[in-house]
Structures are given as structure tokens and as C-alpha cells.
Amino acid sequence: MAMSKDLFLALLSMDAYNRGYGAGLTLPNDSPLIGNATVYKDSSEILRDPITKEPLDAPAGFYAVAYKTTKDIGTKETGGVIPEGTTLIAA
Amino acid sequence: MRPWKVVFLVALGALALLLAGLASCLIPYEWRDALALEVETPDGLKTGRAVVSLSHTVETVIPGIPGGAVHTSLRGEAAVVEVAPGKYLFALLTGREDLAVKAFPEVVRNRTFKQFARAFRDLREKRDLPTELIPMLVTFRDIADPKSVERVDPNNLAAAFGPGVTLKRATLEITDQPITTGIEKYAPSYRKRDDWHAWYLSLPYGDPRKIGPEVFRKGF
């Protein structure tokens, strides 16, 4: 069954809520895969203090994660297609 | 009863509820636990132990009504064992926030958060950790270089430290002892290591070597 892109985006936003620091759920081996997308980068990796190298997102109460699609998501009939290789960001 | 008395009593009740709500938000529930590692080596038993503090603040929407959020903050350091001169085994802070909850499931079972938080605060008990609950273990090929990090399999310490080295025991103890400090004497320094951040960003998401200073020391 083809999943609509909107449903997939909703799943990614829930995944973002439970990933990174303070995650409520721990996935086996902290898998970077979620359906036809893979986690690319998150704010804890990128936003680091230039001197101490401590993450800057958690103290600010911020978290964002970027996903890259590994296949086309959705169909024309279910509301449109997100092409393979698209970067999606949830915060 | 006169109307102004009714208004006064209702206002007093509302104020009491508000203060109770604020108090439950502001007063944290805290307990401390100690993670200890015992490593068998050809030179004898080596041990390491670290006490951390876990502070939980409950955000209640309406006092007395279920619902809300719990914010957890950890203050402490990773446990470290000097397995051989200059060769260290670290049990990182990753996942340390809920280790006690997993190691003592009967304390949590059938209790609300506030009930089991009070139970942990009063508990004084030590328990062996099964392998799957042992926090992530790492070592460094070169302790001066955070890029030389290697994950250590708790079932195969010999792969990282040589023959005859095994993890004999890992325990978690609920305690009221002081928080352990001093990891900076053993852990590599990440300060001003721009080469480290570039290397770190080059690793794929989920790579076990993707660790930073926050898994050695937190909350100070």
C-alpha cells in the first residue's frame, strides 16, 4: 500500500520528537532508518560550542533533525510525491 | 455566609491550588545512583565507580489531575576503570538517565512517577546489571586524541585490552553519596579540537564513535 506523503511527514515529525537528547523511545542500535528515509544530521552534531565542543541545542531547548529520502514517497493519487534524495527537516 | 466571605474562601482555595501546582513544578525529585565496573586483568582486579545525581521536575498542568511532563537532568560523570597503565575503559553517560528505572523495575511497577521517585530517593540497594543494561563502553587508542575512540563489547574486553581482560561485574547502587568528579584526569580533552568536530561530522548518523564531551561529564 502506498503511503501518502502527508502521513509519512507526520511519522517523521513524531520520530523527531523521540530522537536525539531526551528521547522517550530508544530504537534498536539507534537505527538511522525510518521507512524510506534515513537520518542525515541533527542539531546536536552541528551546533557545538567552538571551544568546549559541548552541544548547544539541548541547553537552548532546541532540537532539529534532517532526513534524506531513500525512495520516492507517496503517489500522485495520494496527494503528491516527495522524490528520492530529498532532504526533510523536522524541528 | 456573607457573599464576600464566599468570594474570599474561593480566592483562597484557588491560591492554594496555584501554590501547590507551582511547588510541584519547582521542587525536584532527586536520587543518586552509582555505576560500578569490575574488570579482571592479568594484573588483578581493577575497579571504577561513579555516582551521578538525577533530578526530575514534574510539570503539572492542573494540580491533582493526571497529565503533564517530567524533565530529567543528570549531573555527574562517566565511570572509568584504568585497565592498564594509560589504558582506560569508560562507561558513558548515554542512557544513564533511566538506568535505575530499568535496573529496578519493581520499584516503578504499578506506581505513579511521584510514588516511584520517592521510592528511589529512600532506596539503598545494589544490583548486578545484565549485559544489555550496561551503558555504552568505550576506550581510546590514544587518550590524547578523541578521534581514536573505539567501542568496547562488554562480552569481549579482550578485543580492546588484550588477553585475560574480562568484565567481571557491573552494578548499579542507589545511594546518597557525593557525586563523583575528576574525569578530566582520564578522559580526552575536546577543547579547541577543531579537527575532532570536522571528523565527527564526517561520520554517518548512528556511528558508535559519534560521541562528544557531553557523555563524559554533564550538568556542572
Side-chain angles (χ1 to χ4, degrees):
Chain A
M1 190 185 80
M3 185 186 289
S4 80
K5 70 173 177 58
D6 290 338
L7 177 56
F8 191 72
L9 291 172
L11 289 171
L12 290 189
S13 67
M14 285 194 286
D15 180 75
Y17 190 72
N18 264 304
R19 201 174 275 278
Y21 70 86
L25 293 171
T26 309
L27 299 172
N29 301 320
D30 197 16
S31 171
L33 298 171
I34 172 156
N36 293 326
T38 183
V39 177
Y40 178 55
K41 287 268 184 277
D42 74 6
S43 52
S44 300
E45 300 176 20
I46 295 166
L47 303 173
R48 294 230 164 216
D49 184 285
I51 305 295
T52 66
K53 304 297 180 284
E54 295 278 352
L56 296 170
D57 59 349
F62 172 78
Y63 183 72
V65 55
Y67 303 89
K68 200 161 254 186
T69 54
T70 54
K71 273 187 180 176
D72 288 357
I73 308 289
T75 61
K76 219 182 327 177
E77 292 73 29
T78 57
V81 176
I82 300 171
E84 177 187 337
T86 304
T87 300
L88 302 163
I89 297 172
Chain B
M1 192 180 286
R2 295 188 178 188
W4 68 267
K5 276 190 177 172
V6 174
V7 172
F8 177 74
L9 286 174
V10 168
L12 201 65
L15 187 67
L17 273 175
L18 185 69
L19 288 174
L22 279 173
S24 72
C25 289
L26 298 175
I27 300 169
Y29 293 83
E30 188 196 345
W31 71 78
R32 292 180 183 185
D33 60 43
L35 175 71
L37 301 175
E38 295 177 13
V39 178
E40 200 71 72
T41 79
D43 299 324
L45 189 70
K46 308 287 170 112
T47 60
R49 187 171 183 272
V51 178
V52 302
S53 155
L54 294 148
S55 180
H56 310 269
T57 311
V58 183
E59 280 184 9
T60 309
V61 181
I62 303 167
I65 304 293
V70 176
H71 294 280
T72 302
S73 60
L74 182 148
R75 186 173 158 89
E77 296 180 343
V80 56
V81 181
E82 187 169 16
V83 176
K87 200 78 176 143
Y88 301 96
L89 173 69
F90 297 93
L92 304 180
L93 294 175
T94 314
R96 198 74 170 70
E97 284 90 347
D98 56 358
L99 186 57
V101 168
K102 290 175 179 166
F104 295 86
E106 76 285 356
V107 175
V108 179
R109 200 169 297 131
N110 298 327
R111 282 183 164 147
T112 66
F113 173 79
K114 288 180 184 179
Q115 287 168 339
F116 78 69
R118 285 190 203 106
F120 271 121
R121 195 181 54 198
D122 300 332
L123 188 70
R124 296 290 172 267
E125 196 182 324
K126 183 155 84 173
R127 183 163 295 183
D128 283 358
L129 288 177
T131 307
E132 65 272 16
L133 289 187
I134 296 172
M136 185 175 167
L137 302 176
V138 299
T139 189
F140 293 86
R141 288 191 308 279
D142 173 5
I143 200 65
D145 183 4
K147 301 197 302 296
S148 68
V149 63
E150 284 178 345
R151 191 165 189 173
V152 176
D153 179 353
N155 293 314
N156 186 13
L157 263 61
F161 297 103
V165 178
T166 56
L167 181 63
K168 188 182 173 196
R169 193 180 182 208
T171 61
L172 190 75
E173 180 181 6
I174 310 300
T175 181
D176 57 359
Q177 292 168 340
I179 298 168
T180 308
T181 56
I183 191 93
E184 62 278 3
K185 292 197 288 266
Y186 312 103
S189 174
Y190 290 79
R191 288 182 76 86
K192 299 182 181 175
R193 289 298 300 255
D194 292 335
D195 59 332
W196 169 79
H197 196 210
W199 170 82
Y200 174 92
L201 284 172
S202 73
L203 298 172
Y205 184 89
D207 190 305
R209 293 169 297 167
K210 260 191 141 150
I211 59 166
E214 70 277 10
V215 293
F216 292 92
R217 184 177 163 85
K218 210 183 254 186
F220 290 96

